[in-house]
Amino acid sequence: MRDVAHSTLSLHESRSSAAELVRSILPILYGVDERPPRAAATKHYHPDATFQDPLLTVQGIESIRRLVYVNRTFLTDCRIVFGDVAETVRPDGSHVVLADVTCTLVFKHFLLWRPWQKLVGDSFTYQAVHKVVLDEDLKVTAHEEHFSVRSVLDTVPVGRALYAALRKVDAGCTSDFGYTLNQYIAGDRSIRTVL
């Protein structure tokens, strides 16, 4: 693990480059307004970039471009509020940005979805941490969205009861990255290192 202080860029330069880029592109990629997310993906992602979340993994710019339109199909709004954003630079010159976000999804009213929406509501909010790796040219090479299924289900009363009934929660995590990420999500902002 390497501290930001050991990076090849000064902390000031580091904050105004990759971290600010991540702050600017996440609302475009996840949003449902008039801004073109496919153009943002093409401009800022490497052709062989990967995207991963707890539900899926895709590789390549075309797959990522198709993925960003899923939100526009099912949502009327997607609001992202940033918490802390931390950045470090690896010895090879690549940048790693961790962005703590609160995401609120507002669903469209589809007849097929109405019974589900009556149970869970028209929107829900969840916490996530995005780990974005950028190369020396600030092109995204890997993007991971980390959230726990429990955090999503906890926002919905039915989900909370169902999750508690089906699984006993283990708060421990054995990997260094998982431990650091859990500390970060739990609010420990003294974490200044990234694998």
Side-chain angles (χ1 to χ4, degrees):
M1 296 177 85
R2 234 176 227 288
D3 196 308
V4 173
H6 294 114
S7 68
T8 56
L9 294 177
S10 72
L11 187 58
H12 176 70
E13 288 174 305
S14 175
R15 281 193 180 145
S16 64
S17 58
E20 289 306 314
L21 180 64
V22 169
R23 279 183 180 272
S24 69
I25 64 174
L26 283 183
I28 295 170
L29 293 175
Y30 282 76
V32 294
D33 59 11
E34 71 283 350
R35 295 179 289 183
R38 289 174 62 111
T42 301
K43 179 179 178 183
H44 297 293
Y45 280 69
H46 188 276
D48 296 322
T50 59
F51 174 85
Q52 180 178 358
D53 70 15
L55 304 175
L56 61 91
T57 300
V58 297
Q59 182 169 8
I61 191 66
E62 284 307 312
S63 297
I64 293 170
R65 284 169 46 120
R66 283 192 295 271
L67 186 61
V68 297
Y69 272 100
V70 170
N71 285 353
R72 291 169 182 249
T73 303
F74 295 106
L75 304 176
T76 59
D77 196 11
C78 178
R79 295 182 294 271
I80 292 180
V81 177
F82 285 91
D84 290 338
V85 177
E87 178 182 349
T88 190
V89 179
R90 292 176 173 165
D92 66 359
S94 62
H95 302 254
V96 180
V97 177
L98 286 179
D100 180 27
V101 300
T102 302
C103 188
T104 301
L105 307 176
V106 181
F107 297 100
K108 289 182 178 177
H109 291 175
F110 290 116
L111 186 58
L112 182 63
W113 288 102
R114 286 313 293 160
W116 176 252
Q117 286 176 308
K118 286 187 184 285
L119 286 174
V120 300
D122 291 335
S123 68
F124 74 90
T125 301
Y126 67 96
Q127 293 290 122
V129 173
H130 290 262
K131 178 184 177 186
V132 183
V133 180
L134 303 96
D135 63 16
E136 296 148 331
D137 300 323
L138 296 184
K139 291 279 191 178
V140 176
T141 58
H143 181 171
E144 300 172 29
E145 181 181 10
H146 297 274
F147 59 87
S148 70
V149 173
R150 180 180 183 191
S151 71
V152 172
L153 291 175
D154 275 349
T155 64
V156 181
V158 173
R160 230 181 353 258
L162 180 64
Y163 189 83
L166 295 177
R167 182 168 182 198
K168 186 176 181 178
V169 179
D170 178 18
C173 186
T174 58
S175 74
D176 287 341
F177 177 70
Y179 178 73
T180 302
L181 189 61
N182 285 338
Q183 283 181 302
Y184 189 81
I185 292 171
D188 182 1
R189 299 307 186 241
S190 65
I191 305 297
R192 298 188 54 81
T193 57
V194 179
L195 294 175

